[in-house]
Amino acid sequence: MQLPHPKPPATVPPVLPAPVRARSDPPPFPAGGTTRPGIGFVLVAALALGACQDDGGGRELVPHDGGTLHVVIGGALAHLDPQRVYAVTEANVSRLLTRTLTTFRSVPGAASSEVVGDLATDAGRPSERNQVWDFTLKDDVRWEDGAPVTCTDVKYGIQRSFAPQFDDGAKYPGQYLRPNPKPYTGPFTAGGDGGGLRSVECLTSQSIRFHLKQPVGDFGYAVALSVFAPVPATKDTGEAYDRRPFSNGPYKVESSTAQELVLTRNPFWRRGSDTVRGAHPDRVVVTWRNDTTAVTANLIDSDGAWADTIAIDRDAAPNFVQQIINDPVLSGRAVIGSTGGVRYFALNTRTLPDLACRQALTYALNKRRLRASLGGFVVGEFATTMLAPQLKSHRAFDLYGSAANPDGDPERALRLLQQAVAAGRPCPARIRLAYPNSSDVARAISTVVESYQRIGVEVVRRPYPSQSYYSTGIGDPANGNDMMWAGWVPDWPNGSAVIPPQFDGRNVPRDGSAGNTDYANFNDPQINAMIDEALAESDLERQYRLWGALDEAIQARAVSIPVFYIKALRMAGANVRNGFIHPQFGQPDLCALYLS
């Protein structure tokens, strides 16, 4: 989720290839991967049917305003506070409430990876070799009470992210912004530097300047994340803000309960000041249901309110996939697409410090059976790298031979285990495997248990509540798991949005903290130095090659097991229109949807 350059770009960072992250944490089932023959036609048909309606003569109709869009997600939203939002589903929903300096275009295809001005008039103006960035705020963006959004609001929001209570949010402000002479600890305590964050400068009420600790050529992408979003200090309600943030987007929170989130229109939002959000429905109701089979069946039947409903973060249940693909009507309602996301297992280098042991687990995994339990090739192509093929920084390699042999190589794994014994460093006979507690994931984990039974390793299952799985489950470096089911959708389309957040050990927080995204607790000085080199590289093509080399070097250390490049197959009701997978979220873009 980051980048740099040698010569400052003329104006804004270049448009990069389509990727996606999630912010860090994709939901229990995100989407991505490459399109496969056999499903390619369905993908094209779904996009063509979902993107617009016509009047029968080929003329596109204007999207319809009005109605209540129902959105089903697999588990409760952990956060709505912009400084805490980091999971892709939260980010997708949050974009209806919270505008950021820049944002990604709400269109299908490669153009969705382009950032444009949102609160700001453009995607940023760099100077001093990309170490200083200026933004000018639009003068017609208002909060839900009619007050204008100002530089002070933006600065206060960013300052909040430095407070300890926001440990589970994105780390980019602390990683990118030039630090104060004394450590800054947020606006809520007397500790640190009481003068505020000096690297964020309000030149006027509408002009903001950022001073970075090093050149960052893609900073215009970074500020599209909600961690850089404004918050008016007078409306900051502390913990309560996480359920009811103050809105400057097209919708505001009407109610937030244990079962659903109801959004209604913000009367001060103006379409003329927002070139991205369609905001067509009058209301958006988000509910959480963990039974993927029942949700898929209801969407297929599309009776009553289910006709106005879309599932955004869970794929269609595997037992319905063939029916959906083979039925022209249902396939036309399916929202199918590839992302730059990767589904993988993280291997904890603290509890599995020996390379041979981690390599044995990598060789032994049967990726074919695991993927089949989730629906087969429709969920994604087998992965051998952490940088997906959609990213220009992708380098093709297969260090463990799993592309040619996705059933695994238990014999090679057994030899590595024997070598570890001979070296006096025997591998654990029992490993603890963490995963979000849902029936779909549990079924997939059963195949992992069987994989490791082949080499005499017992798997202890450790399910966590889906809502808090990433933030306070495996997000605590001291979680004690050996192996963790995870997924990553890049915050923007480059290796800088994949490698540093997941493998730069200098960013691992103290034990007991939340929000760690280096789930392997991997901290290698050589890799860290390579990361610094890549971030500082101003020639984008050269930087891509550096990220690809880093990916291969990290895989050689066996700290993660890529399983598949994520692909989505989400189901929508009969009345839902303009569904497409946005690579920024690996989900249908909520900003684009409308009802027939």
Side-chain angles (χ1 to χ4, degrees), residues 67-122:
T68 297
L69 173 68
H70 294 269
V71 178
V72 175
I73 60 178
L77 294 167
H79 300 297
L80 287 174
D81 186 317
Q83 271 68 51
R84 286 179 166 151
V85 164
Y86 203 29
V88 287
T89 304
E90 298 166 7
N92 197 354
V93 173
S94 177
R95 204 156 73 135
L96 300 177
L97 300 167
T98 301
R99 297 178 65 176
T100 44
L101 288 171
T102 65
T103 195
F104 287 81
R105 296 181 63 196
S106 184
V107 294
S112 61
S113 294
E114 179 184 354
V115 289
V116 294
D118 186 9
L119 291 174
T121 57
D122 55 30

Side-chain angles (χ1 to χ4, degrees), residues 63 205 440:
S205 64
D440 301 321

